[in-house]
Amino acid sequence: MTPSPIAPAIDIRDLRVDYEHFTAVHDLTLKVPAGEVFGLVGPNGAGKTSTFKVLASLMQPTYGEVILSGVDVLEDKEEARRVIGYMPDLAPVPRDLKCGEFLRFYARAQGLGNAKQCAERADECLAEVALTDHKNHWCHKLSRGQTQRLVLAKTMLHSPKVLILDEPASGLDPLARRELRGTLRKLASQGATIFISSHILTELAEMCTSICVMSRGKLLASGTVDQVRQQLGDDSRSITVVPLQEITSVPDWIRLFDGVADARIDAGSILLDFVGDEEAQANLLEEMIRRGLRMRSFTEKRSSYEEILIGVAERSRLS
């Protein structure tokens, strides 16, 4: 008997969100397996927040289906909210509560047990985000990174199966991003599925196992970062070869090699525009060695993540 396929933790089908004068999300279809840290990236106006609000049951779409951990979000909002943890961008914290009090208050509001049980759960969540030492600190005295982690702890109180985090790394310094990344990976390893958005591709490339790219409400690509590069046509790279011997012209065999789009000499180095895959690049290096081209270095430079996203935004503006 063939085993039935495992249902995705996030299953979005033909999702459309219309506002009065424009369409924010165009027929989005996306599946995310359980245990993934999945990133949604796109420039401002891409449709990220509208998508997240629908997933969090805070907005009714024009049409479409959203199934989170087996629950139809649009048909059963109450049940959906038991499996969802939603963290909006720049979520506020109170000035008149300490961190532990803040979490205990929300634990009681969510019906997570008696006072003792809620206090224990609050302590567990503070430990998950490395804020145990700040339990008795005033919320408004926290740094930006600590505030983000406190709000994440609140989002985790009811042990949601799917975490929806809208720009959680916004404004964080490198150390705070590293701490957040570690927390998210730990949660995913424990079985949670995390859907995280950002307009900064570098942040998501660091944090996520897979990503998708949206622009003007449309899904342009999804997969690993390398797969997304290929789908967006940004898998080209430049290769610089610095030979030991002086070379005044590029050998014809290099110009004709599979994957070489252009080749030229600059300051004694061979500069290649390369569009082949990694296998073709390895073959090129092997062929250079076989033909006796002695090199001091063979280096590649790909488009940065931000250059890819800028290209997406510019193409969308022209379309």
Side-chain angles (χ1 to χ4, degrees):
M1 182 175 176
T2 303
S4 58
I6 299 174
I10 299 173
D11 190 355
I12 304 170
R13 308 172 190 171
D14 301 318
L15 180 65
R16 184 181 179 99
V17 178
D18 290 314
Y19 292 94
E20 186 176 353
H21 298 297
F22 73 100
T23 299
V25 182
H26 291 261
D27 301 327
L28 174 64
T29 294
L30 188 66
K31 297 180 189 297
V32 180
E36 287 257 10
V37 182
F38 192 89
L40 170 58
V41 66
N44 292 332
K48 303 186 300 295
T49 297
S50 294
T51 299
F52 274 26
K53 284 184 176 179
V54 172
L55 267 60
S57 76
L58 300 176
M59 177 185 289
Q60 189 71 22
T62 307
Y63 58 73
E65 292 181 82
V66 176
I67 313 295
L68 299 183
S69 199
V71 179
D72 190 321
V73 173
L74 306 181
E75 295 295 328
D76 193 348
K77 288 184 171 59
E78 290 305 313
E79 182 60 28
R81 289 170 184 172
R82 293 187 178 95
V83 302
I84 297 169
Y86 174 56
M87 179 177 167
D89 185 18
L90 298 177
V93 295
R95 296 187 59 83
D96 57 348
L97 290 178
K98 295 179 181 179
C99 295
E101 295 172 335
F102 173 61
L103 294 188
R104 292 195 297 272
F105 171 82
Y106 271 94
R108 292 299 298 271
Q110 293 179 13
L112 299 184
N114 58 34
K116 181 175 182 294
Q117 291 168 326
C118 288
E120 289 173 350
R121 182 57 185 156
D123 288 347
E124 289 171 358
C125 290
L126 283 172
E128 288 282 357
V129 299
L131 284 178
T132 297
D133 293 344
H134 292 73
K135 176 179 176 178
N136 294 314
H137 290 201
W138 294 103
C139 293
H140 73 279
K141 295 284 190 179
L142 299 178
S143 68
R144 176 68 176 272
Q146 291 166 344
T147 299
Q148 293 288 76
R149 283 187 281 139
L150 178 64
V151 175
L152 178 59
K154 177 182 79 71
T155 305
M156 294 161 42
L157 281 169
H158 62 297
S159 302
K161 296 179 181 178
V162 177
L163 284 163
I164 302 167
L165 312 180
D166 194 2
E167 301 273 1
S170 175
L172 300 189
D173 61 36
L175 177 59
R177 282 204 303 273
R178 187 180 69 181
E179 291 169 342
L180 177 62
R181 182 169 67 245
T183 299
L184 297 182
R185 288 176 176 171
K186 182 178 179 181
L187 291 171
S189 71
Q190 296 170 349
T193 303
I194 300 167
F195 201 7
I196 177 174
S197 78
S198 178
H199 64 282
I200 302 175
L201 184 50
T202 307
E203 288 180 349
L204 295 191
E206 293 173 349
M207 292 184 183
C208 299
T209 51
S210 298
I211 63 171
C212 67
V213 178
M214 286 181 69
S215 184
R216 298 182 69 177
K218 297 179 180 179
L219 181 66
L220 302 184
S222 66
T224 65
V225 172
D226 285 341
Q227 289 169 340
V228 165
R229 282 182 184 276
Q230 294 172 358
Q231 292 170 37
L232 294 178
D234 283 298
D235 197 38
S236 62
R237 72 213 77 157
S238 60
I239 295 175
T240 301
V241 179
V242 181
L244 279 175
Q245 65 268 43
E246 182 179 351
I247 291 182
T248 57
S249 63
V250 178
D252 288 340
W253 66 266
I254 291 181
R255 293 184 181 278
L256 299 174
F257 200 87
D258 182 35
V260 175
D262 188 30
R264 58 199 178 278
I265 298 293
D266 184 18
S269 297
I270 304 173
L271 305 183
L272 307 176
D273 293 335
F274 198 78
V275 296
D277 59 18
E278 293 190 358
E279 182 70 20
Q281 183 172 321
N283 290 339
L284 173 61
L285 178 57
E286 184 178 13
E287 184 66 11
M288 286 180 170
I289 295 171
R290 191 185 71 80
R291 288 178 178 260
L293 180 60
R294 301 181 67 212
M295 296 166 279
R296 285 198 295 115
S297 64
F298 179 101
T299 58
E300 72 164 18
K301 181 179 181 298
R302 297 192 181 208
S303 300
S304 71
Y305 297 134
E306 298 317 309
E307 287 170 341
I308 293 173
L309 197 56
I310 288 169
V312 167
E314 288 177 344
R315 290 196 296 271
S316 295
R317 220 176 275 133
L318 296 173
S319 62

